[in-house]
Amino acid sequence: MTFYQQLEQHYKKMAKLEHLAAICRWDQATMMPEGGNQARSEALAELAVLHHQQATDIKLKVWFSEVDREPLSKEQRASVIEMKRQWQQANLLPSDLVEAQSLAANKCEHAWRSQRGKNDWQSYSTNLEKVVKLARQEAQIRADATGLSRYDALLDLYEPGMTSKQLDILFDEVKSWLPELIEQIQEKQIHDQVILPLGPFPVAQQQQLSLAMMEKLGFDFNHGRLDISTHPFCGGVPTDVRITTRYDENDFTSALMGVIHETGHARYEQGLPEKWSGLPVGKARSMGIHESQSLFFEMQISRSENFIELIAPAAAEQFNRIDDPAITAENLTLLNTRVTPGYIRVDADEVTYPAHVILRYEIERDLINGHINVADIPELWDRKMSEYLGLSTKGNFTDGCMQDIHWSFGSFGYFPSYTLGAMYAAQFMAAMSKEMNVANLIRERNLQPIFNWLDRHVWKRGSTVSTEQILIDATGESLNASYFKEHLIARYLN
Amino acid sequence: MTFYQQLEQHYKKMAKLEHLAAICRWDQATMMPEGGNQARSEALAELAVLHHQQATDIKLKVWFSEVDREPLSKEQRASVIEMKRQWQQANLLPSDLVEAQSLAANKCEHAWRSQRGKNDWQSYSTNLEKVVKLARQEAQIRADATGLSRYDALLDLYEPGMTSKQLDILFDEVKSWLPELIEQIQEKQIHDQVILPLGPFPVAQQQQLSLAMMEKLGFDFNHGRLDISTHPFCGGVPTDVRITTRYDENDFTSALMGVIHETGHARYEQGLPEKWSGLPVGKARSMGIHESQSLFFEMQISRSENFIELIAPAAAEQFNRIDDPAITAENLTLLNTRVTPGYIRVDADEVTYPAHVILRYEIERDLINGHINVADIPELWDRKMSEYLGLSTKGNFTDGCMQDIHWSFGSFGYFPSYTLGAMYAAQFMAAMSKEMNVANLIRERNLQPIFNWLDRHVWKRGSTVSTEQILIDATGESLNASYFKEHLIARYLN
């Protein structure tokens, strides 16, 4: 066996452990009775230890130095690059830091669950300070190894190749037009008569509607399924993708749009290159690209008037509400494109969402780089919320800087992925639209050409090239925020 | 750490891998879409390799030799004995034999699925011969290591401590009274007017009925759940026991009795000693004892007239058939105690079942010991079926010697567990009945004292003592087939 073959074998074995972990985590969130949690968590922790042992196996050092001398194809070179990325990341952190982080994150997250409701920033910030301190240590170690800045070294874990220098340019541009755009849209929408559909919408029927839409969107039910969990997610493995949602009997659109969002994630996973199955190079490229697919399905396709014309009759029939004026394409379109600045990111609409992300990005960047401290967060949060969305969060930590779970469990550098995803999605749609009349295809219920484009330009590329290269090959240029702006103007101001 | 503590830590780690395998196997049988099977099987195979590596870890040899010099409690000694049992078994077989067995079994089982329907003994026997040849090799290796006969060395894997010498005595006794007993019961039942309940019985309502009965039987839903699979089983882990059934819309009793059977298995698992959780000594004692618990729940408790008086109104209400004469306690009792000799073991009633098991036992014993060959099976099968149940299977391989999956996948020595379980269950009931009026307790819907007895005498003992010792401590004597006979006479001839 060549060294390359040995590396492939090694990483494919690790993927099998990842497979088992993914299914058991899915089960934990969807099927497991509460009483099984302790043993399950311990079993998964043990698997993580075994996985880490394999990821840092001493043999790998030799193999990586030898493999460079072997004659490899271009794709195999890319494969080795991704293996090395994973290997270097796995080896960087001393195990006492990992353990300290895990303990601090568990403590902070657990306490956050009750502190948030009590608006108790004082107690929360004590825990968060420890989490931030350790995250800075991690960032420093990663920065030393990569030559990146501290924050960029964390960002790179989720969005390889992206830097805060680029993000500053992109986000500053968005900030330059977003507040005015929001105002204009609100003015335009002020006289819209939106009817709120009145529940109950039984779970069984919502589920049927969700499954029907998943089918329309090409979800492969031979390689995946839909279930229920408290926090919706896309899990499992590419050959068996598990997506989840939660149903609210008073509001069927929230679960439906959630399922469509997860279906976008799922189709990316289901469409990853089989040829590289089980290898790092065969995995999804980045969190931002992943989000671009869910947002392409949710925002670009499904919140379009043409697709809602498909949803409305299906929903009316499913709920036996053929004559309900709330369940018409026209009303559902108004409902699904309503823009309202609010405090809560996860409830935000497509237009105000970037403001939430940019605010968090600016704060976490300065926090990790050491330019601000935990104590500075509330004031900064309040000032930026006022500036970007015209809302004050003074003294309101619950709906302000304590609303997200991310920082509590030590995840810094993830937030930008959401808005990068929205931008990638808009840029993909703009490029796709040069090759086909997307609106017509949706109107004709002929989505296959759309999926084929995504499959060719995104899904089947896996991680064989950089995110930048995916963008250039698919759209002819690097990430350009103007496509996102044009999308918003076209949808909300025309 | 002492050597004993190191051993405990090692085996508890292995139990965590077993946990993940159990959940992923459950998922494979209940949730997984077909397209996920290949990757799942490979992932589970990889986990089995890791588990085998740990089970045969070279360190164990040293630890086992050192631990004998440590001061251990009686229970810790028992714990070491069970670890050693597992360790020795894991080390015995050369990996090329294990691989050859796996290949031969897969081939034979796969082909069997179509050959059985075609009654194609000729082709099937060619594959089976290879499976038997390898099973004999395994048996020889195990026999050399244990000093047991070849067949007994395999039997010992499922029913530690049991020998064919004992089985011959027990089963010969059963054979001495069973054919006549069956005849007498059939004569007695000949004029019974049994009404077959007429479907459809919707799956959702059958499920509700099953869950209600599980609750009555003390299933802990905080540590387990009920789902659907093609072949019913009890899986998962003690903190999260997963039982399954399959529903037939034309016959609600089959799923119901199946669920009650699996509930017996489940309560044993849920009742295993927490103190020894994750260690071999904390596991179920044997397949026979496991079956004794499922049969105690199904046969001893639930097919009794008194329990059926509880089932009948619940079923009538669930299916909205309050006045259905087929769903009365009287009719359901007749239905659930009907005795009819038939070809198929899995469809057999409580009385004729042992005949199916004894026949298989006698054939597999002589086959593994080399006294007969695969080619001799059909004739022996036919002769024994005629002798024990008065049925001829001449030329009918489909409903004769090709009906079970066990031998196809190389499982020899398992069949006796079924009837040992029935005998243990009857003996437990006889002993329990000396301490309490079981029939009255069932009539008063007060099952807790029954469960407490089983918990104390069986569940909480785990594998801390031998099967023989469990029997003696619980019932005052070794296994004695006469309790089973008395149970059958009391239920079917009085």
Side-chain angles (χ1 to χ4, degrees):
Chain A
M1 263 204 291
T2 66
F3 288 102
Y4 179 74
Q5 285 167 331
Q6 285 182 295
L7 281 167
E8 271 213 348
Q9 198 181 53
H10 188 80
Y11 278 89
K12 282 183 177 174
K13 276 188 185 183
M14 283 169 55
K16 288 170 186 169
L17 301 191
E18 293 158 21
H19 176 135
L20 302 167
I23 296 302
C24 286
R25 276 198 303 265
W26 169 87
D27 182 273
Q28 193 172 28
T30 56
M31 298 289 159
M32 188 191 72
E34 184 56 31
N37 195 52
Q38 175 73 17
R40 177 67 53 83
S41 301
E42 287 171 14
L44 282 167
E46 176 62 22
L47 193 64
V49 168
L50 283 176
H51 188 270
H52 184 74
Q53 281 169 2
Q54 298 194 357
T56 55
D57 194 317
I58 193 82
K59 290 179 307 200
L60 291 172
K61 195 172 178 174
V62 181
W63 292 354
F64 279 125
S65 73
E66 296 288 345
V67 77
D68 285 338
R69 281 173 231 156
E70 289 181 347
L72 298 179
S73 72
K74 201 178 148 196
E75 280 183 317
Q76 286 172 331
R77 289 259 164 245
S79 178
V80 171
I81 287 171
E82 292 304 316
M83 291 175 189
K84 269 193 187 166
R85 247 182 79 77
Q86 193 173 315
W87 174 63
Q88 280 159 344
Q89 281 169 8
N91 276 289
L92 270 181
L93 302 186
S95 58
D96 56 347
L97 176 60
V98 174
E99 203 186 332
Q101 283 184 302
S102 169
L103 288 172
N106 277 338
K107 190 179 171 193
C108 186
E109 184 194 329
H110 185 78
W112 166 79
R113 290 181 190 276
S114 51
Q115 288 162 349
R116 187 191 168 200
K118 295 186 212 140
N119 201 38
D120 185 1
W121 166 257
Q122 206 54 45
S123 310
Y124 175 66
S125 62
T126 316
N127 289 330
L128 186 61
E129 267 165 13
K130 279 180 204 131
V131 172
V132 169
K133 190 182 157 204
L134 294 164
R136 284 174 176 165
Q137 286 179 26
E138 175 185 348
Q140 189 61 59
I141 292 169
R142 294 193 184 281
D144 291 344
T146 56
L148 296 167
S149 76
R150 284 203 266 175
Y151 179 73
D152 286 8
L154 297 186
L155 177 64
D156 199 65
L157 295 173
Y158 306 105
E159 200 61 19
M162 182 55 66
T163 64
S164 45
K165 195 175 159 193
Q166 282 173 275
L167 282 181
D168 287 341
I169 295 169
L170 288 162
F171 287 174
D172 281 349
E173 199 204 313
V174 174
K175 276 161 65 179
S176 74
W177 47 258
L178 190 64
E180 198 190 328
L181 183 70
I182 294 171
E183 239 173 78
Q184 289 174 315
I185 296 171
Q186 284 195 284
E187 265 169 44
K188 183 170 179 290
Q189 294 187 338
I190 204 161
H191 295 298
D192 285 349
Q193 303 270 339
V194 191
I195 316 166
L196 226 57
L198 202 70
F201 300 102
V203 167
Q205 289 162 30
Q206 287 197 52
Q207 197 165 23
Q208 284 310 309
L209 182 63
S210 297
L211 291 169
M213 289 303 133
M214 286 167 73
E215 204 174 334
K216 289 244 181 299
L217 293 169
F219 185 93
D220 179 356
F221 287 96
N222 191 36
H223 291 101
R225 44 181 292 145
L226 168 69
D227 293 276
I228 297 172
S229 69
T230 316
H231 302 286
F233 65 93
C234 172
V237 292
T239 52
D240 187 1
V241 179
R242 307 288 175 95
I243 69 172
T244 70
T245 191
R246 57 183 163 204
Y247 298 101
D248 175 353
E249 294 221 322
N250 296 313
D251 170 17
F252 76 88
T253 58
S254 116
L256 182 60
M257 284 299 156
V259 166
I260 289 171
H261 182 96
E262 301 304 334
T263 299
H265 283 306
R267 290 223 56 188
Y268 186 15
E269 289 288 319
Q270 289 179 337
L272 287 169
E274 265 179 68
K275 184 185 170 189
W276 300 108
S277 140
L279 296 175
V281 74
K283 290 184 183 168
R285 178 64 277 186
S286 73
M287 297 318 290
I289 293 291
H290 229 308
E291 195 69 12
S292 81
Q293 298 309 292
S294 56
L295 291 176
F296 194 96
F297 275 63
E298 183 194 351
M299 298 300 176
Q300 297 295 329
I301 296 181
S302 301
R303 286 190 201 254
S304 75
E305 240 176 303
N306 293 314
F307 196 84
I308 292 177
E309 268 169 24
L310 189 156
I311 293 176
E317 199 187 343
Q318 189 60 250
F319 299 119
N320 211 1
R321 305 263 197 113
I322 303 293
D323 298 319
D324 189 336
I327 312 186
T328 62
E330 204 190 343
N331 187 62
L332 289 183
T333 303
L334 290 176
L335 194 70
N336 278 295
T337 52
R338 189 83 188 156
V339 174
T340 320
Y343 294 108
I344 307 299
R345 176 184 58 84
V346 295
D347 294 336
D349 54 75
E350 184 180 15
V351 184
T352 57
Y353 204 105
H356 293 275
V357 168
I358 294 170
L359 173 157
R360 285 157 178 77
Y361 158 68
E362 291 172 340
I363 293 176
E364 68 176 14
R365 176 199 60 199
D366 293 351
L367 196 60
I368 294 300
N369 287 337
H371 302 149
I372 61 167
N373 289 311
V374 167
D376 303 321
I377 295 177
E379 201 207 310
L380 278 166
W381 193 285
D382 180 53
R383 193 197 314 154
K384 287 172 192 287
M385 274 300 276
S386 301
E387 197 178 320
Y388 305 161
L389 291 173
L391 296 169
S392 163
T393 57
K394 200 158 283 203
N396 182 357
F397 309 108
T398 303
D399 298 327
C401 56
M402 284 178 75
Q403 70 182 268
D404 295 304
I405 199 176
H406 301 58
W407 292 343
S408 305
F409 67 67
S411 182
F412 298 90
Y414 186 94
F415 280 121
S417 311
Y418 294 114
T419 290
L420 287 171
M423 291 176 175
Y424 294 144
Q427 189 165 334
F428 288 142
M429 181 56 103
M432 187 188 292
S433 297
K434 286 182 198 152
E435 295 175 33
M436 56 190 95
N437 187 326
V438 178
N440 265 352
L441 289 170
I442 295 176
R443 220 169 294 138
E444 293 159 5
R445 320 290 189 242
N446 178 18
L447 305 179
Q448 199 53 51
I450 299 174
F451 303 146
N452 290 347
W453 193 97
L454 293 172
D455 187 60
R456 193 167 65 250
H457 290 294
V458 184
W459 306 343
K460 280 293 170 289
R461 307 215 73 180
S463 289
T464 58
V465 294
S466 68
T467 306
E468 169 87 354
Q469 197 60 49
I470 288 178
L471 263 284
I472 290 172
D473 291 347
T475 72
E477 59 183 310
S478 302
L479 179 56
N480 178 343
S482 68
Y483 294 106
F484 182 54
K485 182 184 179 189
E486 283 162 23
H487 158 70
L488 295 181
I489 289 172
R491 173 166 292 170
Y492 294 90
L493 286 183
N494 288 345
Chain B
M1 266 205 289
T2 67
F3 288 103
Y4 178 75
Q5 284 167 332
Q6 285 183 295
L7 281 166
E8 271 213 348
Q9 198 181 54
H10 187 80
Y11 279 89
K12 282 182 177 175
K13 275 188 184 184
M14 283 169 57
K16 288 170 186 168
L17 300 191
E18 292 158 23
H19 176 134
L20 302 167
I23 296 302
C24 286
R25 276 198 303 265
W26 169 87
D27 182 273
Q28 194 173 27
T30 56
M31 298 289 158
M32 189 191 73
E34 184 56 30
N37 195 51
Q38 176 72 20
R40 177 67 53 83
S41 301
E42 287 171 14
L44 282 167
E46 176 62 23
L47 192 63
V49 169
L50 282 176
H51 188 270
H52 184 74
Q53 281 170 1
Q54 298 194 357
T56 56
D57 194 315
I58 194 81
K59 290 178 306 200
L60 291 172
K61 195 172 178 175
V62 181
W63 293 353
F64 279 126
S65 72
E66 296 288 345
V67 76
D68 285 339
R69 283 174 230 155
E70 289 181 348
L72 298 178
S73 71
K74 202 178 148 194
E75 280 184 316
Q76 286 172 331
R77 290 258 164 245
S79 178
V80 171
I81 286 170
E82 292 305 316
M83 291 175 190
K84 271 193 185 166
R85 247 183 80 76
Q86 193 173 315
W87 173 63
Q88 280 159 345
Q89 281 169 7
N91 275 288
L92 270 180
L93 302 186
S95 59
D96 56 348
L97 176 60
V98 173
E99 202 186 333
Q101 282 184 303
S102 168
L103 288 171
N106 277 339
K107 190 180 172 192
C108 186
E109 184 194 328
H110 186 79
W112 166 79
R113 292 183 188 273
S114 52
Q115 288 162 348
R116 188 192 168 199
K118 294 186 212 140
N119 201 40
D120 185 1
W121 167 257
Q122 206 54 45
S123 310
Y124 174 66
S125 63
T126 316
N127 288 331
L128 185 62
E129 267 164 15
K130 280 182 203 126
V131 172
V132 169
K133 190 182 156 202
L134 295 165
R136 283 172 176 166
Q137 286 179 27
E138 175 186 348
Q140 189 62 58
I141 292 169
R142 295 193 184 279
D144 292 343
T146 56
L148 297 168
S149 77
R150 284 203 266 176
Y151 180 75
D152 286 9
L154 297 186
L155 177 64
D156 200 65
L157 295 172
Y158 306 104
E159 200 60 20
M162 182 55 66
T163 64
S164 46
K165 195 176 161 194
Q166 281 173 276
L167 281 181
D168 287 341
I169 295 169
L170 288 162
F171 287 173
D172 281 349
E173 198 204 313
V174 173
K175 276 160 65 179
S176 75
W177 48 257
L178 190 65
E180 200 191 327
L181 183 70
I182 294 171
E183 239 173 77
Q184 288 174 314
I185 296 171
Q186 285 197 282
E187 264 170 45
K188 183 170 179 289
Q189 294 188 339
I190 205 162
H191 296 297
D192 285 349
Q193 303 270 339
V194 191
I195 316 165
L196 225 56
L198 203 70
F201 300 101
V203 167
Q205 289 163 33
Q206 287 198 52
Q207 198 166 22
Q208 284 310 309
L209 182 63
S210 297
L211 292 169
M213 289 303 133
M214 285 167 73
E215 204 173 336
K216 289 243 180 299
L217 293 169
F219 184 93
D220 178 356
F221 286 96
N222 191 36
H223 291 101
R225 44 182 291 145
L226 168 69
D227 293 276
I228 297 173
S229 69
T230 316
H231 302 286
F233 66 94
C234 172
V237 292
T239 51
D240 186 2
V241 179
R242 307 288 174 96
I243 70 172
T244 71
T245 191
R246 59 183 161 205
Y247 298 101
D248 175 353
E249 294 222 323
N250 296 313
D251 170 17
F252 76 87
T253 58
S254 118
L256 182 60
M257 284 299 157
V259 167
I260 289 171
H261 182 96
E262 301 304 334
T263 299
H265 282 306
R267 291 223 56 186
Y268 186 14
E269 289 289 319
Q270 290 180 336
L272 286 169
E274 265 180 68
K275 184 184 170 188
W276 301 106
S277 141
L279 296 175
V281 75
K283 290 184 183 168
R285 179 63 275 185
S286 74
M287 297 318 289
I289 294 290
H290 229 309
E291 194 69 12
S292 81
Q293 298 309 291
S294 55
L295 291 176
F296 194 96
F297 274 64
E298 182 193 352
M299 298 300 177
Q300 297 295 329
I301 296 181
S302 301
R303 286 189 200 254
S304 75
E305 242 176 300
N306 292 315
F307 196 84
I308 292 177
E309 269 170 22
L310 188 155
I311 293 176
E317 199 188 339
Q318 189 59 249
F319 300 119
N320 211 0
R321 306 263 198 114
I322 304 292
D323 299 319
D324 189 337
I327 311 186
T328 62
E330 203 189 345
N331 187 61
L332 289 182
T333 303
L334 289 177
L335 194 71
N336 277 296
T337 53
R338 190 83 187 158
V339 174
T340 320
Y343 294 107
I344 308 298
R345 176 184 58 84
V346 295
D347 295 336
D349 55 75
E350 184 180 15
V351 184
T352 58
Y353 204 105
H356 293 275
V357 167
I358 294 170
L359 173 157
R360 285 159 177 76
Y361 158 68
E362 291 172 340
I363 293 176
E364 67 176 15
R365 175 198 60 199
D366 293 351
L367 196 60
I368 293 300
N369 287 337
H371 303 148
I372 62 167
N373 288 310
V374 167
D376 302 321
I377 296 176
E379 203 206 310
L380 278 165
W381 193 285
D382 181 53
R383 195 197 313 153
K384 287 172 191 286
M385 273 302 276
S386 302
E387 198 179 317
Y388 306 160
L389 291 173
L391 296 168
S392 164
T393 57
K394 199 158 282 196
N396 182 356
F397 308 108
T398 303
D399 298 328
C401 57
M402 284 177 75
Q403 69 182 267
D404 295 303
I405 199 175
H406 301 56
W407 292 343
S408 305
F409 67 66
S411 183
F412 298 89
Y414 186 93
F415 280 122
S417 311
Y418 295 113
T419 291
L420 287 170
M423 291 175 173
Y424 294 145
Q427 189 165 333
F428 288 141
M429 181 56 103
M432 187 188 292
S433 297
K434 286 182 196 150
E435 295 176 34
M436 55 189 97
N437 188 326
V438 178
N440 265 353
L441 289 170
I442 295 176
R443 219 170 293 136
E444 294 159 3
R445 320 288 188 245
N446 177 17
L447 305 179
Q448 199 53 50
I450 299 174
F451 303 145
N452 290 346
W453 193 98
L454 293 172
D455 187 60
R456 193 166 65 248
H457 290 294
V458 184
W459 306 342
K460 281 291 170 288
R461 307 216 72 181
S463 289
T464 58
V465 295
S466 68
T467 306
E468 170 87 355
Q469 196 61 48
I470 288 178
L471 263 283
I472 291 172
D473 291 347
T475 73
E477 59 183 309
S478 301
L479 179 57
N480 179 343
S482 68
Y483 295 106
F484 181 53
K485 182 184 179 188
E486 282 162 23
H487 158 70
L488 295 180
I489 290 172
R491 172 166 293 171
Y492 294 91
L493 288 181
N494 287 345

